[in-house]
Amino acid sequence: LGDVLGAERAVGAGAEPDGYMLYFTTAGVATVYPHLKPAPYDPLRDFAAVGRVAFNSTMLVVNAATPIKSARDLAALARERPNKVTMAITGIGSVSHLGAELFQAAAGVKLVEVPYRGAAPAMTDLLGGTLDALFGDGPTVMAQISAGKIRAIAATSHARSEIFPDVPTFLEQGFAD
């Protein structure tokens, strides 16, 4: 929501571009949010992209104590245990929500989507073993992967991450583009 408020502030009440205001945002606010609810801005009309500052791959992660080693394993578990495998949703329309929906469609499975108010409480429950999986962006999951507490089982990028080159992409695991 903070990014949405920032977008509203950057656009102002029909403010003309003055060359002084820069607005850094995420793909979600620029491309997803306006399709979920009426936004007071049109990302194509009201903003001019200057460039990309960073690219952030989202990863599907599980607690390291589970036997799940791949996205295929998670899909098989969901088929084995219908309506029992849980996936954190860190906000309606968030990257984690869209990732969960795309994964379910590609794998032909139905997960129990557990809503959270952000990634931190979802990560706490994943670490505690009360959740089966979570889609998290690199900075959110990096420390826990490095500590061996969670396992990244798939990356959403087209190529493997330079930071986690051992994590296969969904494409590599046979999930459609």
Side-chain angles (χ1 to χ4, degrees):
L1 184 60
D3 260 357
V4 173
L5 295 174
E8 291 177 26
R9 172 70 176 101
V11 173
E16 291 296 318
D18 62 7
Y20 292 101
M21 172 139 345
L22 284 176
Y23 172 59
F24 288 84
T25 190
T26 63
V29 172
T31 61
V32 177
Y33 183 79
H35 296 286
L36 295 177
K37 49 175 41 175
Y41 58 89
D42 177 334
L44 297 176
R45 181 194 68 226
D46 296 331
F47 299 102
V50 176
R52 183 170 70 184
V53 174
F55 173 77
N56 203 357
S57 179
T58 302
M59 295 193 191
L60 178 55
V61 297
V62 296
N63 187 300
T66 71
I68 300 166
K69 305 275 192 235
S70 69
R72 289 234 171 259
D73 289 350
L74 183 63
L77 183 65
R79 282 187 204 90
E80 221 173 84
R81 296 176 27 208
N83 298 314
K84 300 272 190 247
V85 177
T86 57
M87 171 79 71
I89 303 300
T90 62
I92 302 302
S94 67
V95 170
S96 78
H97 185 199
L98 297 175
E101 294 298 333
L102 290 170
F103 173 69
Q104 291 176 93
V109 298
K110 182 69 180 129
L111 304 170
V112 177
E113 295 178 355
V114 183
Y116 284 86
R117 294 186 72 160
M123 180 62 76
T124 299
D125 283 355
L126 182 66
L127 291 167
T130 58
L131 274 176
D132 293 306
L134 161 72
F135 271 95
D137 60 11
T140 301
V141 299
M142 188 179 311
Q144 301 301 339
I145 293 170
S146 295
K149 294 183 178 186
I150 63 173
R151 177 182 305 117
I153 60 172
T156 60
S157 51
H158 286 282
R160 289 187 182 212
S161 163
E162 291 177 20
I163 298 169
F164 294 106
D166 296 336
V167 179
T169 67
F170 279 97
L171 293 173
E172 288 178 90
Q173 295 183 58
F175 293 93
D177 185 30

